[in-house]
């Protein structure tokens, strides 16, 4: 009797795998396979947007700038400087009643090249780097790294660079001290063990064959770059080159239940929302998918979510629907609903002491809803209204999607944020809603295939509402 009452009254979340039949497991594994394939060709924000555009084009989406007017059912996108993208399907209901927005980010922690990166020292050529986002620097040494990005010449010619992904390409690495001579280093605090200024990428060691010339190794590297791309050293000053792990996303575990891969924060939510959107046809409320940039460094800049580019996109929709009028944009935002689709800290039993077990996000227990972010006394957090949380719960229940309400770590341990507050500031109802991750911001992050599928189902259900 007590057991029955307990089942009725308790909020107990089992592992999602426990109620997954073989047929559903097959679907879960298939989606993860597609996701890993996508991750392997979309390691940077520019690459992600390029792949997203390809997918959108294949699925009947059109560049909004090419259309003069819009009608119900139209599928459009807007690409901002190749680094962020917004997609929309015009809904049957008047847009004045609000939109259903899902917003993720496609940038991930990494190492960028400095504006003057190339130098020679002690028989080697190096690229100097500047880390991007919150990283534990020691994790980025002694792993294979690849070089991705663009070099833009003064005549506007853009050279795309991608070295280290193909099996036949060379890779690059950042060296670390051998333990035999690391006594002093090992005494340092972990955060000081590797200094930012020492994250220098090893890129060559053959001198240019000329006895008289100085800096022969640097010269040889520049000569290679010149022959390959037609650039000189100064062209590296107008470049955006990113170093990311050269390894591929792979299935993890003997039971094949997890995905290990670089950049899953937040490409796991970006991919699942994009994949869900590609399968939508008619929607009641205008569905909007945001793939933003610069979240990892505070969403600033004209490709970050803080910029007015998103307002511009929605204004374009209002203009091209022929409904725009003063203050309509404000009204649309105030009546909109949003899932801020960003990853959550997964509970790691090895580091259990940073989490409150009653409020942690567990891998394999489904999509994680984070009612509020921020740190300490919820400082800087975006806190979803109870009414909206209930509305989202209802959508999930109706669609039989397992979810968990979580917090990022113990109260006074740390904290974090997402793009949620930016849309909340416009008056939109927002809740964070994403996939729990282990080793977040590390070169190799871990997620559960069950949660990936559950994110995809959640996003599809939200837009179909
Ligand atoms: Mn994130
Ligand atoms: Mn992050």
């Amino acid at each position: 009797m007590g057991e029955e009452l307990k089942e009725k009254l308790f909020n107990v979340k089992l592992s999602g795998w426990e109620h997954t039949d073989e047929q559903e497991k097959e679907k879960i594994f298939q989606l993860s396979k597609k996701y890993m394939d996508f991750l392997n060709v979309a390691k940077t924000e520019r690459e992600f947007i390029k792949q997203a555009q390809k997918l959108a084009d294949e699925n009947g989406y059109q560049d909004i700038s090419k259309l003069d007017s819009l009608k119900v059912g139209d599928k459009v996108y807007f690409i901002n400087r190749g680094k962020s993208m917004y997609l929309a399907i015009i809904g049957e209901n008047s847009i004045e009643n609000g939109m259903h927005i899902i917003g993720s980010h496609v940038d991930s922690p990494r190492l960028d090249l400095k504006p003057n990166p190339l130098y020679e020292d002690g028989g080697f050529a190096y690229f100097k780097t500047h880390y991007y986002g919150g990283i534990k620097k020691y994790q980025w040494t002694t792993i294979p790294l690849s070089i991705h990005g663009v070099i833009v010449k003064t005549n506007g010619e853009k050279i795309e660079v991608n070295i280290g992904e193909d099996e036949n390409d060379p890779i690059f690495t950042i060296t670390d001290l051998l333990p035999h001579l690391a006594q002093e280093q090992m005494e340092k605090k972990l955060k000081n063990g590797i200094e930012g200024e020492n994250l220098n990428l090893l890129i060559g060691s053959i001198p240019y064959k000329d006895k008289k010339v100085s800096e022969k190794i640097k010269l040889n590297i520049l000569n290679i770059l010149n022959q390959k791309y037609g650039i000189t050293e100064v062209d590296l000053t107008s470049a955006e080159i990113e170093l990311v792990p050269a390894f591929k996303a792979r299935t993890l575990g003997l039971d094949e239940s997890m995905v290990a891969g670089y950049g899953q924060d937040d490409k796991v939510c970006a991919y699942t929302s994009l994949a869900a959107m590609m399968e939508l046809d008619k929607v009641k409320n205008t569905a909007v998918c945001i793939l933003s940039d610069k979240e990892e460094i505070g969403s600033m800049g004209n490709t970050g979510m803080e910029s007015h580019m998103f307002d511009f996109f929605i204004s374009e929709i209002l203009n091209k629907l022929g409904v725009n009028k003063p203050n309509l944009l404000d009204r649309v935002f105030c009546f909109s609903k949003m899932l801020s689709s960003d990853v959550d800290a997964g509970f790691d039993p090895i580091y259990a002491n940073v989490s409150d077990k009653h409020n942690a996000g567990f891998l394999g227990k489904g999509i994680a809803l984070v009612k509020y972010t921020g740190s300490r006394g919820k400082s800087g957090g975006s806190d979803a209204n109870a009414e909206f949380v209930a509305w989202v719960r209802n959508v999930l229940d109706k669609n039989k999607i397992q979810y968990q309400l979580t917090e990022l770590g113990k109260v006074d341990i740390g904290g974090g944020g997402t793009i949620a507050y930016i849309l909340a500031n416009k008056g939109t109802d927002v809740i964070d809603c994403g996939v729990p991750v282990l080793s977040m911001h590390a070169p190799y992050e871990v997620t559960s295939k069950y949660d990936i599928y559950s994110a995809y189902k959640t996003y599809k259900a939200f837009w179909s509402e």
Side-chain angles (χ1 to χ4, degrees):
M1 217 170 68
E3 278 302 320
E4 269 171 44
L5 191 63
K6 193 176 162 187
E7 200 168 311
K8 187 177 157 200
L9 299 181
F10 275 35
N11 173 25
V12 180
K13 300 286 188 232
L14 299 172
S15 162
W17 297 110
E18 294 203 32
H19 52 77
T20 299
D21 59 27
E22 281 306 311
Q23 210 183 344
E24 200 182 10
K25 192 174 164 193
E26 188 54 38
K27 280 191 205 161
I28 291 174
F29 279 29
Q30 271 171 12
L31 180 75
S32 290
K33 168 84 175 63
K34 281 202 230 163
Y35 164 56
M36 287 186 282
D37 289 346
F38 197 92
L39 268 188
N40 288 334
V41 291
K43 289 192 176 181
T44 66
E45 61 281 22
R46 283 181 192 266
E47 289 170 356
F48 195 104
I49 297 305
K50 202 175 176 181
Q51 294 297 328
Q53 181 179 16
K54 211 169 114 189
L55 214 54
D57 287 337
E58 285 165 9
N59 284 280
Y61 285 75
Q62 288 177 281
D63 186 336
I64 192 168
S65 65
K66 292 185 179 143
L67 298 171
D68 294 325
S69 66
L70 289 174
K71 58 180 188 311
V72 173
D74 279 350
K75 298 176 174 183
V76 291
Y77 64 76
F78 175 81
I79 294 177
N80 182 8
R81 297 168 169 89
K83 294 192 270 187
S84 66
M85 181 175 185
Y86 317 121
L87 302 96
I89 305 176
I90 308 303
E92 288 159 15
N93 293 344
S94 165
I95 195 165
E96 288 197 27
N97 301 326
M99 312 174 290
H100 284 191
I101 306 167
I102 297 181
S104 60
H105 64 93
V106 295
D107 61 317
S108 301
R110 60 178 191 253
L111 307 176
D112 287 341
L113 288 201
K114 289 194 182 194
N116 302 294
L118 183 58
Y119 75 101
E120 169 178 341
D121 194 10
F124 297 109
Y126 294 95
F127 273 150
K128 293 198 71 70
T129 73
H130 198 134
Y131 62 95
Y132 173 98
I135 63 163
K136 293 162 93 173
K137 285 163 234 163
Y138 70 89
Q139 294 177 334
W140 292 76
T141 63
T142 68
I143 57 167
L145 295 166
S146 54
I147 294 178
H148 299 235
V150 295
I151 302 166
V152 187
K153 294 209 237 178
T154 49
N155 66 3
E157 186 194 341
K158 194 190 287 183
I159 299 149
E160 287 191 24
V161 180
N162 185 314
I163 312 169
E165 294 299 332
D166 190 285
E167 285 300 310
N168 300 312
D169 280 355
I171 53 88
F172 310 89
T173 198
I174 293 166
T175 54
D176 192 6
L177 205 48
L178 62 167
H180 317 64
L181 298 177
Q183 216 170 316
E184 207 179 299
Q185 182 194 38
M186 300 288 265
E187 295 299 329
K188 288 183 183 174
K189 283 188 172 170
L190 196 53
K191 68 169 186 171
N192 302 325
I194 301 290
E195 281 167 37
E197 208 53 61
N198 288 341
L199 291 173
N200 299 322
L201 190 72
L202 184 56
I203 56 166
S205 63
I206 299 178
Y208 186 80
K209 277 203 179 107
D210 179 335
K211 275 192 182 139
K212 282 179 223 144
V213 75
S214 66
E215 297 186 90
K216 295 181 181 69
I217 298 166
K218 174 174 170 177
L219 180 60
N220 193 47
I221 291 289
L222 278 173
N223 195 32
I224 291 168
L225 290 174
N226 183 260
Q227 284 169 0
K228 195 168 170 149
Y229 301 118
I231 60 161
T232 67
E233 187 177 14
V234 72
D235 291 320
L236 293 171
T237 60
S238 51
E240 285 179 353
I241 305 280
E242 305 175 10
L243 313 181
V244 298
F247 29 73
K248 301 257 178 274
R250 301 282 291 267
T251 282
L252 173 72
L254 285 171
D255 56 10
E256 305 188 11
S257 59
M258 292 168 274
V259 170
Y262 163 72
Q264 298 202 69
D265 173 9
D266 184 31
K267 295 183 183 81
V268 65
C269 298
Y271 175 78
T272 46
S273 57
L274 183 66
M277 184 159 229
M278 292 304 116
E279 287 173 16
L280 296 175
D281 198 17
K282 286 207 169 74
V283 287
K284 272 178 255 160
N285 296 290
T286 296
V288 176
C289 179
I290 297 172
L291 305 171
S292 68
D293 181 31
K294 297 286 184 281
E295 193 277 342
E296 294 294 356
I297 57 168
S299 295
M300 304 299 185
N302 60 13
T303 58
M305 208 52 216
E306 291 262 18
S307 99
H308 281 263
M309 296 306 293
F310 184 60
D311 298 25
F312 171 72
F313 173 64
I314 303 301
S315 290
E316 279 291 274
I317 290 180
L318 300 178
N319 290 337
K320 292 182 177 184
L321 279 172
V323 298
N324 213 353
K325 57 190 177 192
N327 301 327
L328 181 60
L329 183 66
D330 291 340
R331 188 192 151 87
V332 169
F333 282 133
C334 289
F335 286 88
S336 290
K337 295 181 170 68
M338 179 190 188
L339 300 181
S340 164
S341 52
D342 205 342
V343 295
D344 184 28
F347 175 78
D348 187 336
I350 300 175
Y351 302 99
N353 59 329
V354 301
S355 300
D356 162 18
K357 265 190 176 178
H358 303 289
N359 289 281
F362 288 85
L363 265 70
K365 290 194 174 182
I367 190 87
L369 301 179
V370 185
K371 186 177 180 294
Y372 46 83
T373 51
S375 44
R376 301 177 307 279
K378 301 191 181 181
S379 180
S382 179
D383 196 345
N385 298 295
E387 292 84 347
F388 183 55
V389 182
W391 184 89
V392 174
R393 280 184 52 212
N394 183 42
V395 173
L396 294 168
D397 285 343
K398 273 196 305 194
N399 290 279
K400 297 191 171 62
I401 298 166
Q402 182 169 323
Y403 62 90
Q404 40 184 338
L405 259 295
T406 73
E407 267 197 305
L408 199 146
K410 275 184 181 164
V411 174
D412 278 327
I413 289 277
T418 65
I419 63 168
Y421 74 95
I422 300 164
L423 273 291
N425 284 349
K426 297 182 197 288
T428 300
D429 266 319
V430 188
I431 187 165
D432 279 296
C433 174
V435 172
V437 177
L438 298 186
S439 308
M440 198 196 288
H441 285 201
Y444 224 33
E445 300 173 317
V446 175
T447 54
S448 161
K449 291 183 180 177
Y450 181 84
D451 303 331
I452 295 168
Y453 190 65
S454 136
Y456 155 81
K457 283 204 298 187
T458 300
Y459 302 150
K460 203 168 171 184
F462 173 78
W463 274 322
S464 304
E465 197 50 42

